[in-house]
Amino acid sequence: MGRSRYRFLDKQPHFLSCTVVNWLPLFSNPELVQILLDSLTFLHTHHRIAIHGYVIMENHLHLIASSSNLSKEIGTFKSFTARSIVDWLKANNRRHWLSQLAFYKQLHKTGLDYQIWQEGSHPQALLTAEIFQQKLEYVHQNPIRRGYIDDPAHWRYSSYRDYLDQQGLLPIVQLEI
């Protein structure tokens, strides 16, 4: 397995994506989305990451975040949420989803029965205000591009409302740009 060309820069805001294996639409279930929201809230509350923007779609999420060790924190997030999602699927007898997650698990992951997340998060450092604004707009427009809504304020799982000075679902640290 080759080294990734993607690198995290300390404390710099990054745009990143976390995608479910085979783009399975796990997050069409609000209870599974809540696992993501609770985990991100925990990381923010314990000052492990600052969330600057996000959108959660049915099979992936985009995040703009910063941290002194963002790579480690995103790895922790993905590991914790994967275990929690599998536990929820087992407890709720969702055998179809479990069989899909087992089928699409990469062969080299011999210590796991299931795989939730694709490997990597493809971090992109946001080095200028212009690039930050471009990525934030990309994040907030994602549900519109998918044809789910006409107005980004209508997507529940997004930081768009926070940027309108309304209460969102996650604590957002707005950057001064």
Side-chain angles (χ1 to χ4, degrees):
M1 178 175 266
R3 290 190 169 273
S4 173
R5 62 185 169 98
Y6 298 100
R7 300 281 181 252
F8 286 95
L9 303 176
D10 284 346
K11 299 182 182 176
Q12 190 67 39
H14 284 74
F15 168 82
L16 50 100
S17 302
C18 301
T19 306
V20 177
V21 293
N22 203 47
W23 294 85
L24 297 172
L26 286 178
F27 306 127
S28 56
N29 181 323
E31 292 180 63
L32 297 180
V33 174
Q34 194 60 49
I35 291 171
L36 303 181
L37 294 171
D38 291 345
S39 181
L40 289 168
T41 299
F42 174 88
L43 290 171
H44 171 82
T45 302
H46 289 84
H47 308 289
R48 292 170 56 180
I49 65 170
I51 303 165
H52 308 296
Y54 73 95
V55 66
I56 300 172
M57 302 297 288
E58 75 278 8
N59 52 21
H60 69 285
L61 69 100
H62 295 298
L63 190 63
I64 298 174
S66 57
S67 170
S68 60
N69 194 347
L70 192 55
S71 176
K72 175 185 173 285
E73 299 303 347
I74 294 302
T76 299
F77 166 78
K78 289 173 79 172
S79 177
F80 176 81
T81 56
R83 281 192 312 273
S84 298
I85 289 166
V86 167
D87 289 347
W88 187 93
L89 293 170
K90 287 179 177 179
N92 289 278
N93 203 26
R94 303 297 170 96
R95 283 181 249 156
H96 171 74
W97 285 120
L98 290 168
S99 68
Q100 292 290 300
L101 295 170
F103 181 81
Y104 290 111
K105 177 183 74 84
Q106 293 183 336
L107 295 176
H108 71 274
K109 297 203 177 268
T110 56
L112 300 173
D113 294 327
Y114 309 100
Q115 181 178 346
I116 300 290
W117 299 110
Q118 291 181 13
E119 288 187 2
S121 58
H122 309 292
Q124 298 174 33
L126 307 180
L127 302 175
T128 68
E130 181 182 9
I131 294 172
F132 171 79
Q133 195 61 44
Q134 179 186 46
K135 290 301 184 185
L136 186 63
E137 185 174 321
Y138 175 85
V139 165
H140 292 155
Q141 294 294 314
N142 204 280
I144 292 171
R145 282 191 308 279
R146 296 292 293 264
Y148 296 151
I149 56 172
D150 294 323
D151 182 337
H154 296 160
W155 194 254
R156 176 179 174 91
Y157 304 118
S158 164
S159 57
Y160 186 81
R161 291 181 188 145
D162 295 280
Y163 283 89
L164 298 175
D165 293 325
Q166 298 175 10
Q167 181 69 39
L169 297 176
L170 287 176
I172 298 298
V173 177
Q174 293 188 23
L175 294 176
E176 297 297 320
I177 54 173

